[in-house]
């Protein structure tokens, strides 16, 4: 399959009331959504009385946040954001609060307003909530690479071990201290040089068992194929930690697939500043994390939401 990377000049800048959407300077497939400072200020003023506890206890309040954001923008904004995530050529964007706040409550509200622009988050069993907040620190005793700072977090898609659709992924950085390294790693499926080899392999359509470790609070086994099609395009479901092959042939295929993606020249690092989030189409974007440099004062806190399109 030929690579289909886009050049920045092939994508247009979109401007509307209170916002501008333009190609990212750090990845040729991503967009940057820039909200005017007045929009961000007014949004946080308008939602000041809504607490994160209300968002957890009263699901419709999550959509109220989105409605309050849309009031400050034009009628095309939601369509533009959805179009980016559905577009195979891009499928992702970043947006931030422009340093107007560092309050975690505000970050929860901001990320919730954006996630509910496009769909509904899945229940996150790890946190018992519609979102998860977790930290990466110097020491860790967890049972997955998610919190282990000094290991490479290999490329994967989210939602592999749950039995509901995981169309999109949102990650937002809350804070960071004494962190060197640890950039997000991204690979768009169509930029992977060996996609055709692994997509056409006999193992690509075999159903494999996915099981989560105890920390995920999910005990059900899920059967998934590594590749599947949507809109006549290949999509992928993969994470090396939770897939349980049943024979040497399956294990060899999975190891070679992971190594190929990790070694792809199209796998790129992305800095995500505190107060900024990234949304990706989880069906054709893979993500991971570089290892941090060792530091006893290391601390990073992230928020995750993932779910299905409306």
């Amino acid at each position: 399959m030929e690579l289909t990377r886009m050049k920045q000049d092939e994508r247009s800048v979109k401007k509307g009331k209170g916002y501008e959407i333009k190609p990212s300077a750090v990845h040729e497939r991503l967009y940057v959504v820039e909200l005017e400072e007045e929009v961000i200020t007014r949004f946080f003023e308008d939602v000041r009385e809504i607490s994160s506890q209300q968002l957890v206890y009263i699901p419709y309040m999550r959509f109220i946040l989105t409605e309050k954001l849309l009031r400050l923008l034009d009628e095309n904004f939601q369509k533009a954001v959805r179009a980016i995530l559905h577009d195979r050529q891009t499928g992702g964007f970043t947006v931030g609060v422009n340093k107007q706040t560092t309050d975690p409550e505000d970050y929860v509200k901001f990320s919730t307003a954006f996630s509910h622009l496009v769909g509904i988050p899945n229940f996150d069993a790890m946190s018992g909530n519609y979102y998860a907040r977790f930290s990466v620190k110097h020491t860790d005793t967890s049972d997955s690479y998610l919190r282990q700072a000094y290991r490479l977090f290999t490329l994967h898609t989210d939602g592999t071990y749950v039995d509901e659709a995981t169309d999109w992924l949102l990650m937002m950085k809350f804070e960071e201290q004494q962190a060197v390294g640890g950039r997000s790693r991204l690979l768009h499926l169509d930029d992977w040089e060996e996609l055709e080899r692994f997509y056409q392999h006999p193992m690509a359509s075999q159903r494999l068992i996915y099981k989560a470790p105890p920390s995920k609070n999910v005990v059900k086994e899920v059967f998934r194929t590594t590749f599947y099609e949507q809109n006549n395009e290949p999509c992928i479901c993969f994470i090396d930690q939770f897939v349980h092959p049943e024979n040497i042939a399956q294990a060899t295929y999975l190891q070679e697939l992971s190594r190929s993606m990790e070694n792809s020249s199209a796998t790129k690092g992305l800095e995500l500043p505190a107060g900024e989030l990234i949304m990706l189409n989880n069906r054709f974007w893979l993500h991971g994390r570089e290892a941090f440099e060792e530091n006893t004062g290391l601390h990073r806190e992230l928020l995750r939401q993932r779910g299905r399109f409306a």
Side-chain angles (χ1 to χ4, degrees):
M1 186 171 293
E2 295 182 0
L3 301 184
T4 56
R5 298 186 195 179
M6 295 186 304
K7 298 179 181 178
Q8 286 187 343
D9 57 8
E10 293 176 347
R11 294 182 291 154
S12 60
V13 175
K14 303 175 181 64
K15 293 185 178 180
K17 176 189 172 186
Y19 68 92
E20 182 175 342
I21 302 174
K22 60 186 182 182
S24 167
V26 297
H27 198 294
E28 65 271 15
R29 286 197 182 270
L30 296 177
Y31 278 98
V32 176
V33 177
E34 293 185 348
L35 301 179
E36 293 180 2
E37 288 193 9
E38 182 181 357
V39 169
I40 298 173
T41 300
R42 288 184 58 190
F43 171 74
F44 286 126
E45 289 175 351
D46 292 346
V47 302
R48 184 180 294 116
E49 302 305 317
I50 300 176
S51 68
S52 60
Q53 185 183 72
Q54 284 180 294
L55 297 176
V56 172
Y57 289 176
I58 310 173
Y60 69 71
M61 292 301 296
R62 306 166 197 170
F63 285 101
I64 299 301
L65 286 179
T66 300
E67 190 270 341
K68 289 184 179 297
L69 177 62
L70 291 176
R71 279 188 185 182
L72 303 172
L73 306 166
D74 63 32
E75 67 277 5
N76 294 317
F77 182 75
Q78 184 174 28
K79 294 177 183 177
V81 169
R82 287 184 172 184
I84 290 171
L85 290 174
H86 283 279
D87 183 0
R88 178 79 182 202
Q89 296 299 311
T90 172
F93 66 87
T94 61
V95 61
V97 300
N98 295 350
K99 299 181 180 180
Q100 291 201 34
T101 180
T102 58
D103 186 345
E105 282 276 303
D106 289 337
Y107 289 169
V108 171
K109 296 173 189 178
F110 189 77
S111 62
T112 299
F114 267 88
S115 65
H116 287 73
L117 278 172
V118 303
I120 302 173
N122 295 338
F123 176 74
D124 197 308
M126 187 179 81
S127 65
N129 198 348
Y130 74 93
Y131 66 86
R133 286 175 60 179
F134 55 91
S135 296
V136 180
K137 300 180 292 185
H138 174 63
T139 57
D140 176 75
T141 57
S142 68
D143 53 10
S144 77
Y145 292 155
L146 180 65
R147 294 185 176 91
Q148 295 185 20
Y150 306 126
R151 291 181 178 270
L152 176 74
F153 194 2
T154 47
L155 292 166
H156 62 281
T157 56
D158 265 33
T160 55
Y161 56 82
V162 298
D163 58 0
E164 52 191 337
T166 307
D167 298 322
W168 53 264
L169 168 71
L170 179 154
M171 296 179 288
M172 186 171 190
K173 186 180 290 183
F174 274 33
E175 67 171 318
E176 190 170 67
Q177 299 172 10
Q178 301 187 44
V180 178
R183 293 187 305 170
S184 297
R185 302 172 65 245
L186 303 174
L187 175 63
H188 190 289
L189 197 58
D190 293 342
D191 294 337
W192 178 24
E193 300 89 343
E194 293 193 289
L195 170 60
E196 189 71 11
R197 171 193 167 193
F198 289 97
Y199 176 53
Q200 297 296 342
H201 194 283
M203 293 287 178
S205 58
Q206 287 194 9
R207 283 158 50 90
L208 303 176
I209 301 171
Y210 278 87
K211 294 187 287 187
S215 67
K216 306 300 183 183
N217 298 322
V218 176
V219 296
K220 183 178 180 180
E221 293 184 356
V222 176
F223 292 84
R224 295 189 181 278
T225 61
T226 304
F227 288 97
Y228 60 98
E229 285 193 0
Q230 187 180 55
N231 300 323
N232 297 316
E233 298 279 3
C235 298
I236 189 168
C237 174
F238 173 74
I239 186 168
D240 57 3
Q241 299 170 71
F242 308 146
V243 61
H244 290 257
E246 297 182 293
N247 53 57
I248 293 174
Q250 290 178 352
T252 301
Y253 171 73
L254 293 169
Q255 183 186 50
E256 291 179 354
L257 175 144
S258 182
R259 284 177 173 174
S260 176
M261 292 190 299
E262 295 299 327
N263 292 323
S264 171
S265 62
T267 298
K268 296 185 176 181
L270 174 72
E271 294 281 1
L272 192 67
E276 191 166 300
L277 64 82
I278 183 169
M279 288 196 77
L280 297 169
N281 188 308
N282 189 58
R283 295 183 177 275
F284 50 79
W285 274 101
L286 296 113
H287 65 282
R289 187 189 64 231
E290 296 176 348
F292 290 89
E293 291 186 13
E294 188 167 345
N295 190 315
T296 57
L298 170 66
H299 179 261
R300 172 187 284 179
E301 184 176 4
L302 297 169
L303 173 144
R304 177 187 68 206
Q305 294 185 50
R306 55 196 181 191
R308 62 188 186 276
F309 286 127

